[in-house]
Amino acid sequence: MASINDVVIKIGTVNGTGSASANGLLRKAIFRMGVPVVGKNYFPSNIQGLPTWYEIRVTGDGYSCRSDRVDMMVAMNAQTYARDLAEVEPGGCLIYDSTWPRSRLLNRDDITIIGIPLSKMCNEHFDGARARILMKNIAYVGAIAALLDVDLEIIKSLLEETFSTKQHLIASNMEAIHLGYDHASQNFPCPLPARVEKMDATKGHIVIDGNTAAGLGCMYAGATVGAWYPITPSTSLMDAFRTFCSRYRVDPETGKRTYCIIQAEDELAAIGMVLGASWNGARSFTPTSGPGISLMSEFIGFAYYAEIPAVIFDVQRTGPSTGMPTRTQQCDLISCAYASHGDTKHVLLFPADPAECFYMSPQAFDLAERLQTPVMVLTDLDIGMNDWMIPELEWDESYVPDRGKVYDAEDLEKMEKFYRYLDVDGDGITYRTLPGVHPKGAYFTRGSGHTKLGAYTEDSAEYQEVVDRLLVKWETTRTMVPDAEIRYSKFNKAAILTLGSCDGACKEALDRLEQQKVGLNYCRVKAFPFTAAVREFIDQHEVVYVVEQNRDAQLRTLLINDIEADQKKLVPLLHYDGMPINAGSVVAGVLEEIAKGRAA
Amino acid sequence: MTYIAKPKISHPSLPKNQLGLTTRDYEGVVSTLCAGCGHDSVTAALIQAVFELDIEPHMLAKMSGIGCSSKTPAYFVSQAHGFNSVHGRMPSVTTGAYAANRDMTYVGVSGDGDSLSIGVGQFVHAIRRNLNMCYLIENNGVYGLTKGQFSASADIGSKPKKGLPNQQEPIDPASAALALGATYIARSFSGDKEQLVPLIKGAIMHSGFSLVDVISPCVTFNDHEGSTKSYAHTREFYKHVANIDYIHPSEEIKASYAEGDAMPIHLHGGDTIVLRKVDRAYDPTSRAEAFKLLRERYNAGEITTGLLYVNDERAEMHELMHNIDTPLAQLPYEGLHPGSDELRKLQSRYR
Ligand SMILES: Cc1ncc(C[n+]2csc(CCOP(=O)(O)OP(=O)(O)O)c2C)c(N)n1
Ligand code: SF4
Ligand SMILES: [Mg+2]
């Protein structure tokens, strides 16, 4: 297979052996050659000992989803030899450590098997058990560099950046790179036909994970209070926020912090802290995952009814229950949309990649404060923890936070009396006050029945008046949330409708289907409730394939429920095995439906 | 249930505080609790305390969970902001509120059910953080609002109205708070306003977490013969160990405290409390002594009241976190992000 810049490398190692930095080095080097890359972690819920994989998709075409094949397998974990071998595409290759005799398992005549004595070389050249293990990782990067023709100078400069303060490490790492590189070049025909070649497609781009981008977004949004309880895969979001804050949020005069991160005792408390802080006027958020949403639900309903802003990031993982904590899904759509008992519904945002994680962070705070309600940003493990190539993030200096309808001291001074839940403007959004601002601003916040004036009630009409006004607000919400991304190709009768991290797979699938003369239009919803354009889009088509990553077609359910979309039109295409969706499964799903006689 | 606004008749004879307000200005809506409920007396003591402390009503945040006790924030200081949250979770809301605005005064009202069962986790962790708040538990040994089930503070042998006496070990909030490192721990009785008001004042002025465990009988479900949280039982067995007088910063410490049983304690904010020991040997600044006292007196069947423990040395939550003095909610947005140039620069590591 002679292909340039279209190759998938998968590296199988043991968790805890420090391969992440070596894999990152390889991924970065290819990116610096100007070639688009996608980096995916497939890791276990374990700290040490279980198998883990990192996949680098080199994609000259700039696709962003997981690939559906493996061209080069680096099999560093004997536990997984059999399955790693089986995964390699015919014509591909497998690299293994030939320090020991080749396992009988490693036998396939349709692929090239490449043995490099990694352990032997590293044991001869380096001292200390830990160093030998780490250098072995670097040595396989060297071998891959030779086989794929990755620029050694770029690798060297990356090492120089990483170890700028530890000069000796640059030399030893380069030595390990050369061990692998030289052995491969001397013993195998390098480079292989499927290889990497410099191009100019990564300028103005970065590679980043969604949690880091969201943490950065929260800092730029002016969030001052973050409360959380650690849970995979959301933990690195707060870690990122903390890192950025420790750099940019320390008062130069006093050395004191202009942010407060509270590690809560559980998610029941984390959301309580967010509500307390938001009630008091701070931009406040919590990152979590499915189990955390379950625990937060009572307070989410409280915030809906008492009308308190809150920003919640749900980095979704595979459920139900503990499920597969290190695998991805979009399985919390319904539990978030309708979190809590009673009639509640909540604003959801669906970023598709780390760029949208960043830009939707300030947007989430704006909406939460404008609408005085919880806003949940639903990302997932694939977006949150994997490495995505995105256009460099930009900050609009003219951004001013939308703090919503808040009466300040001056407004209150002029007023006869303030009532918290009075719909002055007729859009269902009432005015609030912040505690401690003015004596006239005081009101009593409660989750029990209240009148539009803010008083306690058990009177039917008074109760209903308020919950009906919340429906008016819901319709206002529909006009304020980000609109869907819609693409028409031709006059197609059929379309794909999807959300979040399915975007890359769907767009790649559209290209592939196009090549097979199947033209589909495209709609990616970015928020719940659904905008008028989504409804219109569905109305325009005879068949709408609803692509999502859960078993129960939750997005489809929301469409039917929220905008009364015609359910006969909505054909579910579901992917829910815990691995990120890829284009192949979307293509196969669509073709299967067409074969069954469904319109294309 | 509707609220009848109390007619506001300002009596010229009513004493005014330094803000020119009278106790009427610190009242709330009419209570809907049972006549004789201990909680109403605690409300009255709270009104007195915040009035005497000259707290500006709108700078007070009244926080609560769910229960009869948790309803009471509506019954005092209508001009203050109230947050009646969900069952057992007042501490987390207060933590967030305090994180956002450290300039306000936070008074949380909870019940023994709210704090010692469903909310025990939050109670514990608010203490660990040394959250700067006054935390009142209106302790009646039962769940009043759900009609009289035993709470975790019910004593062994205490009889319910119907059924068998409690046999489970009680959780004593004061002992628990002491074990967890609370920095101000007091206990009192709803029927002893004279003791209670200064204890609440001290608790509000103390920098850090202050617990006031108030035995507050439930007349409807736990005031009968055989209950250890009844008015009669409490009156019979409760003992003062160390009471306090709160000294306003503008007042001089009167020299009338006899050596040995009076001990002035200077609080962080410049206020002073003077400890009046009833038990002359008792030292409430010693955690070990407080443990011993609580254990011994409990075993003797006594209800120990007064200021049980105080430590004004430990840093409260914001100090522990090195947070800026300005309330976070009031920081201008311009200073909260490093701008577009810096964003460009910081991304070099992702290239
Ligand atoms: C999640 C949840 N579970 C149960 C209840 C029902 N409930 C309301 S008040 C209460 C107990 C209150 O007891 P306590 O805190 O001692 O207050 P009291 O009424 O005795 O003052 C319970 C169990 C609730 N409101 N929320
Ligand atoms: S039930 Fe008990 S606690 Fe509740 S109001 Fe009545 S007396 Fe008070
Ligand atoms: Mg109770």
Side-chain angles (χ1 to χ4, degrees):
Chain A
M1 251 205 317
S3 60
I4 307 297
N5 294 339
D6 182 17
V7 53
V8 180
I9 310 146
K10 189 167 175 177
I11 302 154
T13 53
V14 177
N15 210 25
T17 53
S19 56
S21 46
N23 300 339
L25 177 67
L26 177 63
R27 196 254 301 139
K28 274 196 165 187
I30 299 170
F31 177 76
R32 289 259 178 117
M33 289 174 71
V35 185
V37 284
V38 174
K40 302 276 185 209
N41 276 297
Y42 307 123
F43 59 104
S45 182
N46 159 270
I47 303 300
Q48 207 171 50
L50 288 185
T52 181
W53 292 268
Y54 188 69
E55 190 179 285
I56 300 171
R57 179 179 182 193
V58 180
T59 161
D61 295 327
Y63 288 126
S64 63
C65 71
R66 173 170 76 101
S67 164
D68 28 29
R69 53 161 226 267
V70 175
D71 302 306
M72 173 183 279
M73 178 66 80
V74 185
M76 299 297 289
N77 182 1
Q79 287 174 72
T80 58
Y81 270 175
R83 63 190 274 194
D84 289 350
L85 182 80
E87 256 187 68
V88 183
E89 201 71 6
C93 71
L94 180 137
I95 300 171
Y96 75 103
D97 186 348
S98 61
T99 303
W100 301 281
R102 174 159 143 191
S103 157
R104 261 178 301 131
L105 276 173
L106 295 180
N107 222 340
R108 250 180 79 176
D109 44 23
D110 59 341
I111 64 172
T112 313
I113 297 202
I114 297 172
I116 315 263
L118 295 164
S119 299
K120 180 168 175 288
M121 295 190 303
C122 290
N123 290 349
E124 285 164 9
H125 284 80
F126 301 103
D127 293 326
R130 186 72 190 158
R132 285 170 174 174
I133 291 174
L134 293 176
M135 289 308 174
K136 198 168 79 171
N137 300 330
I138 299 295
Y140 71 63
V141 171
I144 297 169
L147 293 162
L148 295 183
D149 206 11
V150 177
D151 190 339
L152 278 191
E153 280 308 306
I154 291 179
I155 292 184
K156 190 168 173 219
S157 65
L158 281 167
L159 287 170
E160 281 164 357
E161 285 168 31
T162 314
F163 301 119
S164 58
T165 54
K166 298 172 192 146
Q167 285 294 323
H168 64 286
L169 287 178
I170 301 173
S172 55
N173 276 274
M174 271 318 282
E175 187 181 351
I177 288 283
H178 273 290
L179 289 176
Y181 191 92
D182 297 347
H183 186 95
S185 345
Q186 284 152 22
N187 296 283
F188 301 95
C190 286
L192 298 173
R195 61 194 163 83
V196 179
E197 201 175 271
K198 274 195 180 147
M199 58 189 290
D200 191 20
T202 64
K203 199 177 281 158
H205 284 73
I206 57 167
V207 175
I208 194 169
D209 62 82
N211 285 349
T212 302
L216 187 60
C218 289
M219 199 262 289
Y220 270 86
T224 49
V225 178
W228 68 308
Y229 188 75
I231 183 168
T232 304
S234 72
T235 306
S236 54
L237 199 162
M238 193 56 101
D239 290 344
F241 181 70
R242 186 192 306 279
T243 304
F244 293 122
C245 284
S246 60
R247 211 155 124 201
Y248 299 110
R249 287 287 196 79
V250 178
D251 181 51
E253 275 166 41
T254 58
K256 290 185 180 176
R257 296 173 179 176
T258 61
Y259 66 98
C260 180
I261 297 174
I262 309 170
Q263 186 180 321
E265 51 272 31
D266 51 36
E267 290 89 345
L268 301 169
I271 183 67
M273 291 168 188
V274 169
L275 296 190
S278 298
W279 175 76
N280 239 349
R283 287 200 149 183
S284 173
F285 71 100
T286 182
T288 188
S289 191
I293 294 291
S294 295
L295 283 189
M296 290 179 189
S297 289
E298 189 180 6
F299 253 142
I300 293 174
F302 179 97
Y304 170 80
Y305 190 34
E307 302 181 68
I308 302 174
V311 172
I312 301 164
F313 288 87
D314 176 6
V315 188
Q316 299 166 92
R317 65 188 218 184
T318 303
S321 190
T322 303
M324 296 195 284
T326 59
R327 298 286 181 255
T328 196
Q329 253 181 9
Q330 297 171 316
C331 52
D332 300 340
L333 307 183
I334 291 178
S335 72
C336 287
Y338 301 113
S340 202
H341 55 278
D343 287 323
T344 60
K345 34 192 169 186
H346 311 290
V347 184
L348 313 179
L349 298 181
F350 308 120
D353 60 17
E356 288 191 348
C357 287
F358 177 78
Y359 296 114
M360 280 185 180
S361 296
Q363 220 168 0
F365 285 101
D366 287 350
L367 284 168
E369 291 193 294
R370 169 60 44 188
L371 298 163
Q372 300 172 18
T373 201
V375 170
M376 291 182 247
V377 185
L378 267 64
T379 74
D380 56 34
L381 182 141
D382 185 21
I383 301 174
M385 294 188 73
N386 284 326
D387 302 317
W388 296 64
M389 185 176 103
I390 56 163
E392 212 169 89
L393 300 170
E394 285 171 10
W395 187 248
D396 175 4
E397 287 290 348
S398 68
Y399 172 77
V400 178
D402 180 0
R403 310 304 309 261
K405 298 186 187 181
V406 183
Y407 285 134
D408 61 16
E410 218 176 292
D411 300 327
L412 288 162
E413 188 58 48
K414 282 185 259 163
M415 290 169 75
E416 178 73 24
K417 202 155 169 24
F418 160 69
Y419 294 109
R420 173 67 180 91
Y421 298 112
L422 219 47
D423 188 3
V424 180
D425 304 326
D427 56 3
I429 306 169
T430 67
Y431 285 80
R432 68 173 185 139
T433 56
L434 301 179
V437 167
H438 193 279
K440 278 197 225 163
Y443 68 97
F444 201 80
T445 302
R446 49 163 72 82
S448 42
H450 44 269
T451 69
K452 64 179 171 189
L453 305 182
Y456 180 90
T457 191
E458 292 179 13
D459 177 273
S460 304
E462 288 178 340
Y463 158 81
Q464 211 166 312
E465 191 177 13
V466 172
V467 291
D468 285 344
R469 195 257 306 152
L470 288 171
L471 279 184
V472 176
K473 179 159 91 172
W474 186 247
E475 289 312 312
T476 303
T477 304
R478 199 184 294 288
T479 66
M480 288 184 173
V481 295
D483 214 340
E485 175 192 350
I486 291 178
R487 287 189 186 185
Y488 294 99
S489 34
K490 288 181 205 115
F491 300 104
N492 299 319
K493 291 188 208 131
I496 283 178
L497 187 153
T498 192
L499 82 170
S501 64
C502 298
D503 186 48
C506 288
K507 284 183 179 153
E508 189 175 343
L510 289 179
D511 286 356
R512 290 202 210 167
L513 287 163
E514 185 84 39
Q515 284 161 16
Q516 303 189 39
K517 305 273 178 289
V518 178
L520 297 174
N521 292 336
Y522 185 63
C523 172
R524 174 171 64 88
V525 298
K526 290 191 192 166
F528 177 77
F530 303 112
T531 57
V534 176
R535 166 127 223 191
E536 209 175 295
F537 183 86
I538 295 172
D539 287 346
Q540 287 161 353
H541 294 89
E542 282 172 17
V543 176
V544 177
Y545 298 105
V546 183
V547 179
E548 53 185 312
Q549 299 179 65
N550 57 68
R551 186 194 67 182
D552 290 345
Q554 299 187 27
L555 172 60
R556 183 174 177 270
T557 301
L558 291 182
L559 289 164
I560 294 165
N561 209 28
D562 184 52
I563 50 173
E564 291 170 31
D566 178 359
Q567 56 176 306
K568 288 191 291 298
K569 279 185 187 178
L570 304 179
V571 181
L573 284 191
L574 308 170
H575 174 95
Y576 51 91
D577 63 3
M579 297 301 266
I581 190 170
N582 57 28
S585 68
V586 179
V587 171
V590 171
L591 293 179
E592 213 171 288
E593 288 296 330
I594 291 173
K596 279 196 243 161
R598 191 91 62 184
Chain B
M1 229 186 309
T2 50
Y3 289 120
I4 319 142
K6 280 187 222 174
K8 276 234 157 70
I9 317 160
S10 63
H11 245 276
S13 60
L14 277 178
K16 291 195 163 125
N17 66 9
Q18 296 203 341
L19 300 171
L21 303 174
T22 70
T23 47
R24 303 296 321 253
D25 297 309
Y26 288 88
E27 285 175 353
V29 297
V30 174
S31 165
T32 58
L33 303 183
C34 305
C37 175
H39 301 351
D40 280 335
S41 310
V42 184
T43 298
L46 258 166
I47 290 174
Q48 191 65 31
V50 290
F51 162 77
E52 288 176 11
L53 287 174
D54 304 318
I55 292 177
E56 281 185 85
H58 75 286
M59 292 304 287
L60 174 70
K62 310 170 294 179
M63 317 300 285
S64 67
I66 295 288
C68 296
S69 34
S70 294
K71 287 184 176 192
T72 63
Y75 312 147
F76 60 90
V77 204
S78 284
Q79 294 296 300
H81 287 261
F83 197 127
N84 181 201
S85 69
V86 299
H87 198 15
R89 277 155 278 175
M90 173 273 281
S92 64
V93 179
T94 311
T95 305
Y98 181 61
N101 188 346
R102 61 191 293 179
D103 280 356
M104 301 206 11
T105 297
Y106 295 89
V107 172
V109 183
S110 182
D112 40 333
D114 199 57
S115 281
L116 304 179
S117 287
I118 191 167
V120 72
Q122 303 215 338
F123 171 65
V124 163
H125 287 274
I127 294 175
R128 276 193 71 221
R129 290 186 188 97
N130 205 16
L131 176 62
N132 190 5
M133 74 175 297
C134 165
Y135 193 118
L136 280 140
I137 297 183
E138 298 182 347
N139 190 346
N140 54 15
V142 288
Y143 294 178
L145 196 57
T146 51
K147 297 189 179 259
Q149 302 81 1
F150 273 132
S151 79
S153 75
D155 297 298
I156 291 179
S158 189
K159 292 200 184 82
K161 271 186 130 173
K162 278 185 230 138
L164 298 171
N166 173 53
Q167 291 304 334
Q168 292 180 41
E169 193 66 36
I171 298 177
D172 167 25
S175 307
L178 194 59
L180 294 162
T183 47
Y184 180 108
I185 302 168
R187 181 151 53 212
S188 190
F189 170 39
S190 63
D192 188 354
K193 201 171 171 186
E194 211 169 306
Q195 185 195 42
L196 181 55
V197 172
L199 286 175
I200 294 176
K201 285 161 74 179
I204 291 176
M205 296 323 289
H206 169 71
S207 167
F209 189 91
S210 319
L211 173 72
V212 186
D213 174 28
V214 192
I215 310 300
S216 174
C218 168
V219 286
T220 307
F221 298 112
N222 206 14
D223 196 33
H224 47 271
E225 176 89 44
S227 156
T228 59
K229 292 279 193 291
S230 66
Y231 278 109
H233 183 97
T234 310
R235 284 213 175 89
E236 187 175 347
F237 294 99
Y238 98 118
K239 294 258 166 23
H240 291 191
V241 283
N243 292 327
I244 64 165
D245 291 334
Y246 169 81
I247 310 288
H248 199 277
S250 63
E251 284 172 56
E252 268 176 64
I253 300 175
K254 296 187 195 79
S256 65
Y257 298 99
E259 192 72 34
D261 52 25
M263 185 168 145
I265 298 176
H266 303 287
L267 301 179
H268 252 57
D271 304 76
T272 307
I273 52 175
V274 173
L275 212 70
R276 279 188 289 107
K277 297 184 196 175
V278 176
D279 178 341
R280 294 188 69 154
Y282 184 58
D283 176 9
T285 61
S286 157
R287 206 162 159 191
E289 274 208 43
F291 264 121
K292 189 160 156 267
L293 175 96
L294 284 173
R295 221 46 255 169
E296 282 176 3
R297 297 292 170 87
Y298 183 79
N299 291 342
E302 285 178 15
I303 302 163
T304 320
T305 65
L307 182 64
L308 305 174
Y309 177 70
V310 62
N311 171 0
D312 216 56
E313 303 296 305
R314 254 195 78 209
E316 56 75 50
M317 186 181 102
H318 278 293
E319 291 162 359
L320 284 169
M321 294 175 132
H322 306 288
N323 293 341
I324 195 158
D325 298 341
T326 318
L328 293 175
Q330 290 165 18
L331 294 172
Y333 174 66
E334 299 74 62
L336 296 178
H337 70 93
S340 54
D341 282 346
E342 189 58 34
L343 180 61
R344 203 167 309 124
K345 278 187 221 144
L346 72 83
Q347 289 175 86
S348 65
R349 52 182 307 206
Y350 308 113
R351 264 174 226 127

